[in-house]
Amino acid sequence: METRRGPAALLPLLPLLLLLGASGFLQSYAVEVDVKDASNVTCLYAQWMMKFLIKYETNSSDYKNASLDLPSTVTHDGSVCGNDTQAALLAVQFGGGHSWSVNFTETNETYQADFIVFTYNTNDAAVFPDAKRKGLVTVVVKDSMHPIQLNNVFVCHHTTSVEAENVTQFVWNITMQPFVQNGTIGKTETRCHADTPTAAPTVVPTAANVTTTSTTTSSPAPTTAPKPVENPVTGNYSLKSGNKTCLLATVGLQLNVSQDKPLLININPKTTSTDGTCGNTSATLKLNDGNSTLIDFTFIVNASASVRKFYLKEVNVTLLNHLNGSVILNADNNNFSKWDAFLGNSYMCRKEQTLEINEDLQVHTFNLWVQPFLVKENKFAIAEDCSPEVDNFIVPIAVGAALGGLVVLVLMAYFFGHKKHRNAGYEQF
């Protein structure tokens, strides 16, 4: 893998770069990344320009805007070629501990970008002088890129901006293709909607031509309502013992991370691999989303000899830094007693459920259907649905209320009948 930026690539940008130099702002450079596979053949290619405007709090509780540009040199450690089962990842690192990445998935002869992850380091005093909060800050944005035909090159000269969590990201002059076939960049271009076939490179955004709030204010930075996240895609997972399927699971998974800043993460089943173990009284399903999330579900069979049931006992979630593999968050709860069903049956719950792992993490499940034991012919057995739990709770109340009303009616009939009988006796006297 290599990063290159030749003089020829910069010739069309010289007037623009001179303009930036005259304006007194840091200039962004055209960055070219050529990711190669184990055979030293290009598998992911990208060339683009990028800039960030970041609002941050100072030690005096004021807020300032910082301008962060791509320097002339970047690294791209952690970039991944990807294939039809694993997401491709374009990751670059630059400056004083800053990084940016975007992942791509391949589906039905097309590819598209999924998430953009930008991490900036407020310890970089040159960019964030007098920053109150020190350390790494990560912003995750869902990309709105439409599916592109495989082997087509995505081209967009127009400036695209994305705002999230006090950060505005600008990207322009993009030429990009993941999942390159046979090491040859495609000859067919797919343009973004804002471009025309003759569109010229656009003017780089600067603090002078981008409308932002005042650089110093006495009030907290404005917050915007988070964009709703769609429900996750339902995935089908299974484990085998020898040639026989021993565990089946169908579920949509969403992580709700509240550490530092709230974040919802949908697990993509198309890029998720399965592993684990099957046993007579214990089974574990391990899911790896191929990027930065590991989830383990452990089921056990209760010890009662008279009524044999299985249930979910433990959930472990690990979030990794996709650049270096370091652990960002590890959460475990081994005190569950959920998703129970008779041994030999399966458990089903179509409605959304929430598993509280710890104070920083929740796992939301959708369209759940699971059978961790005694799977036969690779099919789910009879399902015990979670919805009757509500019905079973309501029915005894209704029956109890009806019986209570009947008792009241009997007592009232007895009382009035007895009273009438006594009045009749007085008349005869």
Side-chain angles (χ1 to χ4, degrees), residues 58-81:
T58 67
N59 284 320
S60 59
S61 297
D62 293 334
Y63 284 82
K64 292 184 177 180
N65 285 329
S67 176
L68 179 60
D69 299 73
L70 281 183
S72 59
T73 303
V74 302
T75 58
H76 54 88
D77 298 334
S79 295
V80 177
C81 292

Side-chain angles (χ1 to χ4, degrees), residues 167-248:
V167 175
T168 304
Q169 304 181 43
F170 299 92
V171 186
W172 69 100
N173 293 347
I174 306 170
T175 301
M176 187 175 295
Q177 183 184 346
F179 309 107
V180 175
Q181 307 295 309
N182 301 320
T184 304
I185 306 299
K187 299 184 182 301
T188 304
E189 291 184 356
T190 296
R191 289 290 189 102
C192 60
H193 293 306
D195 271 8
T196 64
T198 58
T202 55
V203 176
V204 57
T206 69
N209 61 25
V210 175
T211 302
T212 62
T213 56
S214 175
T215 57
T216 302
T217 65
S218 58
S219 59
T223 58
T224 57
K227 296 181 180 179
V229 177
E230 296 180 354
N231 287 349
V233 176
T234 301
N236 298 311
Y237 310 103
S238 63
L239 293 178
K240 288 183 177 294
S241 178
N243 295 326
K244 294 184 178 181
T245 300
C246 57
L247 183 149
L248 289 173

Side-chain angles (χ1 to χ4, degrees), residues 197-403:
T198 58
T202 55
V203 176
V204 57
T206 69
N209 61 25
V210 175
T211 302
T212 62
T213 56
S214 175
T215 57
T216 302
T217 65
S218 58
S219 59
T223 58
T224 57
K227 296 181 180 179
V229 177
E230 296 180 354
N231 287 349
V233 176
T234 301
N236 298 311
Y237 310 103
S238 63
L239 293 178
K240 288 183 177 294
S241 178
N243 295 326
K244 294 184 178 181
T245 300
C246 57
L247 183 149
L248 289 173
T250 296
V251 64
L253 293 169
Q254 183 182 82
L255 305 185
N256 186 345
V257 184
S258 57
Q259 186 183 52
D260 193 10
K261 286 184 177 292
L263 173 65
L264 289 177
I265 303 174
N266 286 345
I267 301 302
N268 183 0
K270 295 184 180 299
T271 61
T272 300
S273 60
T274 60
D275 197 2
T277 58
C278 292
N280 294 327
T281 59
S282 176
T284 299
L285 173 65
K286 297 177 178 289
L287 302 179
N288 184 340
D289 77 339
N291 189 8
S292 58
T293 306
L294 309 174
I295 310 177
D296 297 350
F297 298 93
T298 299
F299 303 85
I300 67 170
V301 178
N302 62 8
S304 173
S306 57
V307 180
R308 304 280 283 175
K309 301 186 74 172
F310 71 82
Y311 61 91
L312 177 68
K313 172 64 175 175
E314 181 176 357
V315 179
N316 180 277
V317 180
T318 302
L319 300 181
L320 303 175
N321 185 322
H322 64 273
L323 297 179
N324 56 26
S326 62
V327 176
I328 298 175
L329 173 66
N330 180 260
D332 179 84
N333 188 332
N334 60 2
N335 198 33
F336 284 118
S337 183
K338 294 180 175 290
W339 305 353
D340 62 305
F342 287 105
L343 197 61
N345 288 354
S346 60
Y347 175 83
M348 175 185 290
C349 195
R350 298 301 188 192
K351 64 184 181 182
E352 178 182 354
Q353 290 186 302
T354 299
L355 300 173
E356 298 279 353
I357 310 303
N358 64 15
E359 60 182 8
D360 294 325
L361 181 66
Q362 295 176 332
V363 176
H364 302 294
T365 63
F366 303 79
N367 300 321
L368 172 67
W369 195 3
V370 62
Q371 184 175 348
F373 302 100
L374 301 182
V375 176
K376 297 180 180 179
E377 298 179 356
N378 197 30
K379 296 180 181 179
F380 284 104
I382 296 174
E384 298 183 32
D385 202 310
C386 65
S387 55
E389 295 172 359
V390 178
D391 299 336
N392 291 340
F393 178 71
I394 294 175
V395 169
I397 295 177
V399 172
L403 290 176

Side-chain angles (χ1 to χ4, degrees), residues 78-96:
S79 295
V80 177
C81 292
N83 50 47
D84 56 356
T85 61
Q86 181 182 10
L89 180 68
L90 173 63
V92 294
Q93 304 83 41
F94 56 96

